[in-house]
Amino acid sequence: MLAQRTHLFKSSGTAAARAAAKAAADAGMEIVDLTAGEIWSDLAPTIRDGAIEAIRQGLNRYTDTIGLMGLREALARKVSAETGQTWPAEEIAVTSGAKQALFNVAMTLINPGDQVIIPAPYWTTFPAQIQIAGGTPVHIDTRENGYVPRIDDIQRVITPLTRAIVVNTPGNPSGAVCDAETLMGIGRLAVERDLWIIFDECYEPFTYDCHRHHPLVSLVPEVRARTVIVNSFSKSLALTGWRVGYLAAPKELILAVRALQSHTTSNPNVIAQHAVLHHLLEGDGAFEAQLREQLTAARQAGLAALSQLRCVPIPEAQGGFYFYLDLSGVLRPTLENGHAETSDDIVSVLLSQAGVAGVSGTAFGDPNGLRFSYGIPPELLQAGLERVVRVLNAWN
Ligand code: PLP
């Protein structure tokens, strides 16, 4: 009945985990939901003011397909400041969240049969979009290297069909932050082997301890002509529902994105665009600092709770707002049904016995992993993780 391409994707693993948590809550269970990839927070005052003012002015019409010129200019200034290079507005497109930016990139850059290297564990949408575009995801396992890709491993899987490498730092689900040396290696490799880099830095404001985010193009300026930077305000301003993202890329690609977007969604929501523009012009950084403080405190409290785990290493949680657990120490190699236990089994038990919802690593190409978000209110996080520790420590 349906088109063949519907076999290429199913609802994202994170959405499925959220749905399971909601179903358990609807059935009357008291659930602590640690699945969401978003931050519990009020709106930034500048976002609220910008949106209200846009409504007051009665702004209800289409904008340019790839965003208000004023917003593209403000984003160009943001990218220029972050990378230390000059970016004109012609190299920026505003999208409905980073997800649309990435989809645009997949559709305008990937030919059927092209291979795209995606380090695993990966955010589940990366391979799905590549497949929808007719490409083939090629995964490399980063688990032995603290979830940071090794240059040798990338090099080993490059073939004449390789078109691009996805770099997501800080990474979802692992929270790993790519060090400068790794990024320089990837950048040089891309130049040498004529590859594109899809650089997703949506979690860029959230790094901890000694870890720092490095914009790839600042480290390897020659790679700029073959790099697409993808970012959004979903995480950085706790604005997931407003759907404002952007991409920065060579002009030719932006023109193709404009044409594609003109046949798909047209412009991102006009009120949300004005709100973000107002924030970029008037924001003083206080809201961002407050979000970072909130997450730093949540991370610290969460790591203290997780330090009680006996057979599961404490996650490093270098960036983002996820604790990514390696469950390999507690997974049984053979179950009664002859299968190996995976994090799916543990996620089900945590939901039924601890009333805590997390996302199984199988959604991210890693049957040993388990992701908890710490973007939720502190008392819930504390209660949830204590229950997780109790159940995992009793696991046999
Ligand atoms: N990129 C990564 C790595 C993400 O984790 C997410 C959302 O979870 C996105 C992109 C999508 O962000 P947006 O909500 O802006 O579409």
Side-chain angles (χ1 to χ4, degrees):
M1 184 177 85
L2 300 175
Q4 282 169 7
R5 83 172 65 81
T6 55
H7 296 298
L8 297 173
F9 52 88
K10 51 186 182 359
S11 190
S12 84
T14 42
R18 266 203 310 276
K22 184 168 180 309
D26 289 348
M29 285 179 71
E30 185 250 315
I31 299 294
V32 177
D33 185 354
L34 304 181
T35 62
E38 56 189 348
I39 308 167
W40 162 81
S41 163
D42 279 339
L43 274 178
T46 37
I47 290 289
R48 182 184 291 121
D49 293 347
I52 290 172
E53 183 52 29
I55 292 169
R56 194 173 285 131
Q57 287 181 22
L59 297 175
N60 58 348
R61 317 241 333 248
Y62 290 124
T63 70
D64 185 283
T65 298
I66 53 171
L68 296 161
M69 185 43 96
L71 179 54
R72 290 172 67 202
E73 283 166 357
L75 288 168
R77 288 193 293 276
K78 176 180 187 288
V79 177
S80 302
E82 287 169 355
T83 58
Q85 299 174 3
T86 307
W87 291 74
E90 289 69 34
E91 292 183 352
I92 305 284
V94 188
T95 56
S96 297
K99 212 174 241 188
Q100 186 183 28
L102 289 163
F103 189 68
N104 286 342
V105 176
M107 297 303 276
T108 53
L109 210 55
I110 306 305
N111 285 307
D114 282 352
Q115 296 176 348
V116 178
I117 300 173
I118 305 175
Y122 45 76
W123 179 52
T124 161
T125 293
F126 290 132
Q129 292 188 342
I130 296 304
Q131 283 175 306
I132 293 168
T136 306
V138 174
H139 299 300
I140 54 163
D141 192 344
T142 62
R143 291 177 296 183
E144 295 287 305
N145 195 42
Y147 304 109
V148 170
R150 280 197 189 101
I151 305 302
D152 284 355
D153 291 337
I154 298 178
Q155 224 155 2
R156 206 167 300 126
V157 296
I158 293 177
T159 73
L161 294 177
T162 307
R163 175 78 164 150
I165 307 172
V166 172
V167 180
N168 172 212
T169 182
N172 177 10
S174 68
V177 176
C178 283
D179 53 281
E181 198 186 327
T182 299
L183 289 174
M184 284 194 274
I186 295 175
R188 288 195 202 110
L189 197 57
V191 174
E192 269 165 35
R193 306 296 295 264
D194 191 20
L195 304 175
W196 280 85
I197 293 185
I198 302 168
F199 191 70
D200 180 327
E201 55 174 15
C202 287
Y203 295 88
E204 140 258 324
F206 309 122
T207 56
Y208 311 99
D209 300 337
C210 59
H211 303 283
R212 291 287 165 273
H213 175 69
H214 305 282
L216 176 70
V217 297
S218 320
L219 297 173
V220 188
E222 322 81 271
V223 87
R224 175 167 163 181
R226 51 182 67 254
T227 298
V228 185
I229 299 172
V230 173
N231 206 334
S232 91
F233 296 94
S234 296
K235 320 288 174 179
S236 61
L237 292 181
L239 217 53
T240 34
W242 290 55
R243 314 306 304 136
V244 184
Y246 62 93
L247 57 96
K251 196 172 157 195
E252 205 185 340
L253 198 141
I254 296 293
L255 290 175
V257 162
R258 172 197 286 285
L260 175 69
Q261 202 159 294
S262 77
H263 296 298
T264 54
T265 58
S266 299
N267 61 272
N269 179 296
V270 59
I271 302 300
Q273 284 193 67
H274 278 282
V276 168
L277 175 57
H278 184 69
H279 176 81
L280 291 173
L281 296 177
E282 300 296 329
D284 59 4
F287 181 79
E288 287 89 335
Q290 180 198 312
L291 266 193
R292 277 197 299 271
E293 255 170 54
Q294 173 186 329
L295 290 179
T296 303
R299 174 178 176 272
Q300 246 162 21
L303 287 177
L306 292 173
S307 69
Q308 302 304 309
L309 282 168
R310 281 201 291 271
C311 298
V312 177
I314 305 171
E316 282 204 40
Q318 298 174 347
F321 44 86
Y322 302 117
F323 295 128
Y324 192 65
L325 304 189
D326 172 7
L327 299 179
S328 39
V330 293
L331 292 173
R332 279 169 293 194
T334 322
L335 292 172
E336 275 156 24
N337 61 13
H339 291 116
E341 198 169 42
T342 72
S343 45
D344 285 351
D345 301 297
I346 293 190
V347 163
S348 312
V349 170
L350 286 174
L351 193 59
S352 59
Q353 290 185 11
V356 176
V359 185
S360 166
T362 52
F364 311 119
D366 171 18
N368 296 345
L370 171 57
R371 190 193 81 176
F372 292 126
S373 164
Y374 55 86
I376 68 161
E379 59 289 356
L380 284 181
L381 180 67
Q382 192 69 27
L385 291 181
E386 281 170 10
R387 288 194 239 158
V388 166
V389 167
R390 227 173 295 135
V391 170
L392 287 183
N393 280 350
W395 203 265
N396 54 41

